[in-house]
Amino acid sequence: MATDVHRPVSPTVTHAVQVEGLTRSFDGRAVIDNLRLDVRPSEFVALLGRSGCGKSTLLRILAGLDRDIQGTVLVPRRKAVAFQAPRLMPWKRVWRNVLLGLPGKPTRSVAEQALTEVGLSHRSDAWPKTLSGGEAQRASLARALVREPDLLLLDEPFGALDALTRIKAQRLVGELWQRRGCAVLLVTHDVEEAVLLADRVLVMDDGVIAHEQRIDLDRPRDITDPRFAELRAGLLERLGVDTTAEAA
Ligand SMILES: Nc1ncnc2c1ncn2[C@@H]1O[C@H](COP(=O)(O)OP(=O)(O)O)[C@@H](O)[C@H]1O
Ligand SMILES: [Mg+2]
């Protein structure tokens, strides 16, 4: 029987996330299989892995949305999650969406502050369906930020955005992280995005963290730096993507 040992506490000052022996099965098949993961406070970690390898499953567990697990999962009490689809309630204006589910009776100014931080204060009164994809994603980020998270969980948040909007959104997340100082776990399928933003890139495979790569490049990062290309190529190789044609 699966045991619920999900505890919303910060176990030690040296960790924002501490996961040990985590297993999650669906229909008898272990998608996550005795996984170990540590994230330090204020660390930016990117999580790569082929589609269906269990990234979203792991994120949902860390967010406390899935408790049918075995193993130990220690996460901060204050955590927030943003998904690829912004998941805004169409019948609530943007600022009300930002406050949705917050405990107590938060005032509009709390929402306005977060919307300002993501550059969306001018759309505070708008209805979600009138937002562009990039705006909706920023609203979703604002909704995560009002929770003042110690751990920010992002599941392919830029996946549905066009290239230019995506670059802007990536930059925004980098800035928010530096300003807020929270730990971030970003699930992405984009190796370049991972190398651009993260302190450490993890590759998930076969239900565990199969590989990790520290990114010791100064910020802001320069994608034309040869070391950037080297790190990117190494990770692509780990993911089983053939880069020889590109190099030729
Ligand atoms: N609620 C569920 N019921 C059954 N199978 C699931 C459920 N959620 C995820 N899975 C399966 O677990 C595997 C990992 O899914 P997921 O974590 O979404 O992968 P990723 O995010 O890496 O693409 C997939 O094979 C998926 O079909
Ligand atoms: Mg996923």
Side-chain angles (χ1 to χ4, degrees):
M1 235 5 248
T3 49
D4 182 357
V5 286
H6 195 290
R7 278 181 280 157
V9 292
S10 300
T12 61
V13 190
T14 53
H15 288 91
V17 174
Q18 243 179 319
V19 170
E20 244 188 80
L22 176 65
T23 297
R24 173 59 161 116
S25 304
F26 295 111
D27 311 318
R29 183 176 67 96
V31 168
I32 294 174
D33 193 1
N34 199 19
L35 179 141
R36 185 195 171 94
L37 168 68
D38 291 320
V39 177
R40 293 192 311 276
S42 304
E43 189 181 19
F44 197 127
V45 173
L47 181 63
L48 295 168
R50 66 180 169 73
S51 180
C53 76
K55 303 180 297 297
S56 293
T57 301
L58 176 59
L59 212 86
R60 287 175 50 80
I61 291 168
L62 295 178
L65 300 170
D66 178 0
R67 288 157 187 254
D68 193 8
I69 58 166
Q70 288 171 295
T72 314
V73 175
L74 303 178
V75 290
R77 195 174 299 278
R78 283 179 181 272
K79 53 191 176 304
V81 57
F83 299 95
Q84 178 169 350
R87 301 188 182 190
L88 303 173
M89 300 297 165
W91 56 87
K92 285 186 186 289
R93 293 182 191 275
V94 166
W95 72 271
R96 288 198 184 276
N97 262 286
V98 169
L99 297 181
L100 212 65
L102 265 193
K105 279 217 173 351
T107 59
R108 178 168 177 163
S109 64
V110 173
E112 295 290 355
Q113 205 180 327
L115 286 166
T116 301
E117 225 180 320
V118 299
L120 204 64
S121 53
H122 61 296
R123 302 293 272 142
S124 178
D125 263 323
W127 298 104
K129 68 171 187 301
T130 69
L131 300 181
S132 69
E135 287 175 334
Q137 200 47 268
R138 279 187 277 158
S140 172
L141 268 179
R143 190 172 48 188
L145 291 178
V146 290
R147 285 163 173 72
E148 299 190 355
D150 292 317
L151 174 64
L152 181 58
L153 301 161
L154 304 171
D155 195 352
E156 308 211 25
F158 321 125
L161 303 178
D162 63 85
L164 189 61
T165 310
R166 186 182 176 95
I167 289 168
K168 285 184 187 159
Q170 286 169 344
R171 196 171 301 158
L172 174 64
V173 164
E175 287 167 6
L176 290 174
W177 166 70
Q178 289 197 316
R179 196 180 319 135
R180 291 290 187 119
C182 57
V184 176
L185 185 65
L186 167 72
V187 170
T188 176
H189 58 255
D190 183 338
V191 175
E192 193 160 295
E193 180 172 295
V195 178
L196 189 67
L197 291 171
D199 295 315
R200 195 155 54 101
V201 180
L202 309 176
V203 178
M204 198 172 167
D205 192 23
D206 260 348
V208 294
I209 305 301
H211 179 68
E212 80 170 305
Q213 174 67 59
R214 199 161 286 286
I215 311 292
D216 284 321
L217 300 176
D218 292 341
R219 293 183 169 92
R221 289 179 177 158
D222 174 8
I223 59 169
T224 63
D225 183 338
R227 289 175 300 163
F228 191 103
E230 203 175 302
L231 287 161
R232 179 176 168 273
L235 284 163
L236 282 170
E237 198 175 324
R238 278 281 167 182
L239 289 162
V241 179
D242 185 3
T243 55
T244 48
E246 196 180 312

